Amino acid sequence: MTPPTPTPTPLLRGKTVVVSGVGAGLGHQVAAAVVRDGGNAVLGARTEANLAKAAAEIDPDGAHTAHRPTDITDEAQCEALVALAQARFGGVDAVVHVAAWDSYFGGLEDADFGTWQQIIDVNLLGTLRMTRACLPALKANRTGGSVVIIGTQSAVASPSQVQQAAYAASKGALTSAMYSMARELGPHRIRVNTVLPGWMWGPPVQAFVTFTAHSEGVPEAEVRARLTERMALPDLATDGDVADAAVFLASDRARAITGQSLLVNAGELMR
């Protein structure tokens, strides 16, 4: 008689994960993956309605989610989100940083450095604020904790299709900060890693493809083919693929991984 196949332990069973930047795209997918894999997701973003909608879709009975409007440029709001996680679920095991300002386009010659400063305040300093707010709770875990930063492939290789110099620079600085944090927090068994998505099929890229196709008068399939032609795999990575990578790095299965950047890009750039 064949013995029964053991049921695998969910990656995040009993874990509580703070997720910043939960909207319709990647943040939603990360929070959904946390709950799917047995964890509790504490959702933060600036808009209450978006949070409530995401929580209802991810966790209809509300047993494994909590949410609070959070602007990561405000330290007190970051601390309040962590306090919610502790009050509702007893602690914090990981934080996944999705919140970012990624809608400003252009290069150096046309740069508005006032806007650049705001982008840096959100993408770099905001992520650091949220991380620092989580530190007391993460340090309280005897088995350690995890910080997962969502970066961008643009931080290491500029795309030819669009110019996002400010976004790339802010995320590049954050990747550099990751190395220092990994060394500083390692003695507390807190791991710090970055996921670097390339072109990622989800609401923002779908909108880009639709807009470009309409502007040029070509089929959307042609625009999408331009994005995939340089990739080793024939399909774009999706929001869900990036969320799965983040969940893995948040889990104990990545307990010996820190200070690393993981490209999730269908092989467009290999390092």
Side-chain angles (χ1 to χ4, degrees), residues 66-83:
H67 59 86
R68 188 185 193 282
T70 306
D71 183 340
I72 61 172
T73 65
D74 185 318
E75 198 154 3
Q77 292 187 37
C78 294
E79 292 170 351
L81 185 64
V82 177

Side-chain angles (χ1 to χ4, degrees), residues 3-110:
T5 302
T7 302
T9 302
L11 279 176
L12 295 176
R13 185 173 67 180
K15 303 282 189 183
T16 296
V17 181
V18 172
V19 185
S20 73
V22 176
L26 178 57
H28 185 285
Q29 293 295 327
V30 170
V34 169
V35 173
R36 176 202 68 199
D37 286 350
N40 305 309
V42 181
L43 287 54
R46 291 179 299 170
T47 306
E48 166 67 28
N50 291 344
L51 290 169
K53 183 174 185 292
E57 292 174 355
I58 293 165
D59 181 37
D61 65 6
H64 297 286
T65 57
H67 59 86
R68 188 185 193 282
T70 306
D71 183 340
I72 61 172
T73 65
D74 185 318
E75 198 154 3
Q77 292 187 37
C78 294
E79 292 170 351
L81 185 64
V82 177
L84 172 63
Q86 292 175 302
R88 178 70 188 279
F89 299 115
V92 175
D93 298 282
V95 54
V96 180
H97 297 287
V98 183
W101 184 344
D102 61 358
S103 57
Y104 177 76
F105 295 88
L108 177 62
E109 287 190 309
D110 59 352

Side-chain angles (χ1 to χ4, degrees), residues 237-256:
T238 67
D239 285 356
D241 295 321
V242 176
D244 286 343
V247 163
F248 166 70
L249 290 172
S251 77
D252 290 341
R253 297 198 190 169
R255 63 178 296 274

Side-chain angles (χ1 to χ4, degrees), residues 174-199:
L174 190 54
T175 299
S176 295
M178 172 196 72
Y179 298 119
S180 295
M181 288 191 286
R183 185 69 66 183
E184 176 186 354
L185 303 180
H188 302 286
R189 294 187 175 87
I190 298 172
R191 297 171 286 107
V192 188
N193 294 288
T194 299
V195 178
L196 301 175
W199 287 95

Side-chain angles (χ1 to χ4, degrees), residues 118-141:
Q118 295 176 57
I119 291 169
I120 289 168
D121 191 33
V122 174
N123 295 354
L124 173 60
L125 300 180
T127 299
L128 298 179
R129 286 186 195 97
M130 191 72 246
T131 301
R132 187 164 69 175
C134 290
L135 286 184
L138 291 173
K139 287 181 178 180
N141 293 329

